[in-house]
Amino acid sequence: MTICALSTPSGIGGIAVVRISGPDAISACAKVFQPFKAAHTLDQRATHTLTFGRIIHPDTQEVLDEVVVALYRAPHSFTGEDVVEISCHGSAYIQQELLHVLTSFCGVRMAQGGEFTRRAFANGRMDLSQAEAVADLISAQNAAAHRLAFSQMKGSISRKLDTLHDQLLRLSSLLELELDFSEEDVEFADRSELLDIARQIDAEVVRLSDTFRTGQAIRNGIPVAIIGETNVGKSTLLNHLLGDERAIVSDVHGTTRDVIEDTILLDGQLIRFIDTAGIRDTSDQVETMGIERTYQRLERAQIVLWLIDGTRLADAASTQRCIQDTLDVYRRIQPYLRDQQLLLVINKIDLIPSDTLHANLPLLQHALDEAGIHSKNKDNAGHHSSPYAGGLEGVFLSAKHSLGFDHLREVLVRATRLPQAHGDVILTNQRHYEAMQEAHAALQHVIDGLESHLSGDLVAEDLHAVIDALNSVLGRSITSQDTLNNIFKHFCIGK
């Protein structure tokens, strides 16, 4: 059936676009559209042409609006069907009345969310990974997410998986030949060659799977956890970075008892800052729960801002206590550190003389060196900074008086430059990642079978499972309507 929907955001604007798609799209629009030039009737217009005219209400014969109609004839359209796009003025009344006219007098029904893209997939205009990339492109919140979604919509994942699919078919063909001629003692490929091919394919699948974490960071924001003991300025730091009073700031220890998250754009990259409960021994049950959540967020973070109170470096005695407490915090967080980039932030530098701070800092740095967290005093630019685990600098600042934040932002920009994935293909979709995991597991069975000289027909079964898993990313082996419904249900109306 022919469908229609508003394809621009609802509300008042300069223009709005109503899209119609289906076998009767052109004739349905022609029932209410009157071109200014009589010869420009829609049924006579060529594909990819614009026609200026009026929308005439079929009941009252009143002019609803002057519009431009874009015509796309099948199969050369987004959906692969005849498509008409009506650009009208952005009045909310005009938009609703135009949709009412189309659905009440022209035999057209309202589209469901994602139905245009679903028809494009059903008509072979794009595979499922490209269809999902359309939704990602619409929801992209930063430059990196936009580039990635656009690349996927143009088929970057499809091309990569097609290459793997060709290699799998070659491997499958060699196994099938082995089966067909097994009784004639004809060898088309020795097992070592088959094993090499399987291992190469598996290595590529693993590389693609490993890009998923980067893809999630691009889509949802790179998670940056702000950790430290109580009252070191974590909440003040968060509020300053966000430019908003998101967290309560107080001199009372243990004020932050839950995780607070928010995002900002920094140099085109979305960053998700996470303020956490202060790490300390406490008998307060609620605060203890908050500290447990700190560890959970720390484990999932990619960058960790570890705050230390600079006033604790005021003299040798307090520096020794600071060192002990800092190493205690490190021992607590160490089980949750994997490959996160760790940045040490010395806060409250406005409350301690510079010469005193720099006199006692080497004691802290030596202790960190002994703990395996290597450091130095100044970087080449002259900033008081230290490269710690992961190669990141440490910075000195005053969160209360906004000192040192330019340097902190510079460091964060460098830290959030995401690595380029193999072949510039990065997985962002959970469904794709799970399919890659399935393919990897099946490939391990293929490799084990080849290494143990398992019968070719058994190896072929595992190989078919690999092919099915990769094909599911592109939608080639998905037949369940429930699965497709679940994929498209989050699309916006009109796309």
Side-chain angles (χ1 to χ4, degrees):
M1 189 174 181
T2 300
I3 57 174
C4 71
L6 182 68
S7 286
T8 46
S10 59
I12 299 174
I15 63 169
V17 176
V18 172
R19 175 182 284 167
I20 312 170
S21 180
D24 299 322
I26 298 173
S27 60
C29 183
K31 291 178 181 179
V32 294
F33 177 70
Q34 183 184 87
F36 273 93
K37 291 186 177 181
H40 288 178
T41 57
L42 291 182
D43 62 336
Q44 298 297 318
R45 298 289 278 167
T47 186
H48 292 72
T49 54
L50 301 177
T51 307
F52 183 45
R54 302 183 181 92
I55 296 294
I56 307 296
H57 196 294
D59 197 21
T60 64
Q61 297 304 305
E62 293 181 352
V63 176
L64 177 61
D65 195 15
E66 291 184 347
V67 302
V68 174
V69 171
L71 178 63
Y72 307 93
R73 294 186 180 273
H76 307 294
S77 70
F78 177 75
T79 63
E81 305 172 324
D82 285 342
V83 171
V84 172
E85 292 182 351
I86 304 172
S87 297
C88 62
H89 289 94
S91 156
Y93 168 76
I94 292 174
Q95 296 173 40
Q96 293 305 313
E97 195 65 17
L98 179 52
L99 290 170
H100 170 70
V101 164
L102 290 171
T103 55
S104 300
F105 298 95
C106 302
V108 178
R109 70 165 172 82
M110 288 295 297
Q112 300 173 350
E115 191 167 1
F116 291 102
T117 308
R118 183 164 180 169
R119 290 190 176 199
F121 165 67
N123 292 326
R125 295 293 292 169
M126 59 180 66
D127 61 47
L128 200 52
S129 71
Q130 291 172 297
E132 290 166 308
V134 171
D136 289 344
L137 187 65
I138 292 170
S139 61
Q141 301 180 60
N142 58 80
H146 168 266
R147 286 194 298 269
L148 186 54
F150 190 80
S151 172
Q152 292 177 353
M153 190 179 71
K154 301 305 289 184
S156 61
I157 289 179
S158 312
R159 289 189 293 273
K160 174 61 67 176
L161 295 190
D162 280 340
T163 299
L164 291 178
H165 187 264
D166 290 343
Q167 292 175 295
L168 286 165
L169 286 180
R170 178 168 178 262
L171 185 58
S172 180
S173 298
L174 291 172
L175 278 174
E176 294 292 340
L177 286 171
E178 180 183 282
L179 289 171
D180 290 343
F181 293 91
S182 58
E183 296 182 359
E184 300 181 25
D185 198 27
V186 177
E187 187 178 83
F188 288 85
D190 60 30
R191 284 295 177 103
S192 61
E193 180 185 351
L194 300 180
L195 195 55
D196 286 341
I197 296 172
R199 285 171 175 163
Q200 290 170 13
I201 296 171
D202 187 48
E204 190 68 26
V205 167
V206 170
R207 277 194 292 267
L208 283 171
S209 295
D210 289 344
T211 67
F212 181 64
R213 188 181 179 198
T214 298
Q216 286 292 288
I218 290 175
R219 283 186 64 178
N220 305 321
I222 296 175
V224 178
I226 304 173
I227 71 159
E229 297 177 272
T230 58
N231 256 27
V232 294
K234 299 187 299 299
S235 296
T236 303
L237 175 62
L238 175 73
N239 289 342
H240 187 94
L241 289 168
L242 298 178
D244 189 19
E245 296 296 318
R246 285 283 284 111
I248 295 174
V249 176
S250 170
D251 292 333
V252 178
H253 288 268
T255 303
T256 303
R257 298 186 172 203
D258 203 352
V259 172
I260 300 174
E261 298 188 28
D262 212 336
T263 58
I264 64 168
L265 273 175
L266 188 62
D267 197 39
Q269 175 60 56
L270 190 67
I271 300 179
R272 178 158 45 90
F273 288 107
I274 308 163
D275 184 24
T276 62
I279 298 173
R280 66 167 181 166
D281 289 322
T282 178
S283 59
D284 187 300
Q285 185 176 0
V286 176
E287 188 179 354
T288 299
M289 292 171 63
I291 294 171
E292 287 301 318
R293 292 187 179 185
T294 294
Y295 296 143
Q296 293 170 10
R297 293 302 193 277
L298 174 62
E299 196 168 25
R300 295 201 291 264
Q302 288 191 228
I303 298 172
V304 178
L305 299 184
W306 180 8
L307 264 67
I308 290 179
D309 184 348
T311 63
R312 301 194 63 191
L313 301 175
D315 53 56
S318 62
T319 297
Q320 288 301 321
R321 289 193 296 271
C322 176
I323 289 171
Q324 292 172 8
D325 291 342
T326 299
L327 293 179
D328 180 62
V329 169
Y330 184 71
R331 282 191 290 270
R332 291 170 186 256
I333 68 174
Q334 193 172 23
Y336 306 96
L337 295 176
R338 302 182 314 278
D339 55 353
Q340 297 97 322
Q341 298 185 76
L342 185 63
L343 171 62
L344 195 68
V345 179
I346 308 296
N347 191 25
K348 304 183 182 181
I349 61 170
D350 57 305
L351 299 178
I352 181 171
S354 178
D355 56 348
T356 302
L357 176 65
H358 297 141
N360 293 312
L361 180 64
L363 298 174
L364 174 62
Q365 291 176 324
H366 178 73
L368 293 174
D369 286 339
E370 289 292 311
I373 310 174
H374 304 293
S375 63
K376 67 179 182 180
N377 190 26
K378 290 188 179 183
D379 63 14
N380 293 331
H383 297 294
H384 296 294
S385 57
S386 311
Y388 290 94
L392 274 180
E393 297 174 76
V395 296
F396 290 64
L397 57 79
S398 168
K400 184 176 181 179
H401 295 286
S402 304
L403 300 175
F405 275 88
D406 287 342
H407 183 213
L408 176 60
R409 290 189 184 94
E410 290 174 11
V411 172
L412 284 172
V413 167
R414 290 197 294 271
T416 55
R417 287 197 184 106
L418 294 164
Q420 292 296 309
H422 184 74
D424 292 325
V425 176
I426 299 176
L427 299 185
T428 59
N429 189 297
Q430 180 73 32
R431 190 180 68 84
H432 300 173
Y433 174 72
E434 290 173 357
M436 289 297 159
Q437 294 294 94
E438 291 176 16
H440 171 58
L443 276 163
Q444 288 300 301
H445 290 307
V446 170
I447 292 169
D448 291 344
L450 291 172
E451 287 178 335
S452 59
H453 302 284
L454 205 64
S455 170
D457 55 344
L458 297 177
V459 176
E461 285 297 317
D462 291 321
L463 193 57
H464 292 154
V466 179
I467 294 173
D468 286 344
L470 296 184
N471 279 343
S472 70
V473 174
L474 307 181
R476 291 172 181 164
S477 62
I478 293 180
T479 57
S480 168
Q481 290 302 307
D482 289 339
T483 301
L484 292 176
N485 290 342
N486 184 62
I487 290 171
F488 285 101
K489 71 178 180 180
H490 300 296
F491 277 60
C492 60
I493 301 292
K495 196 61 180 178

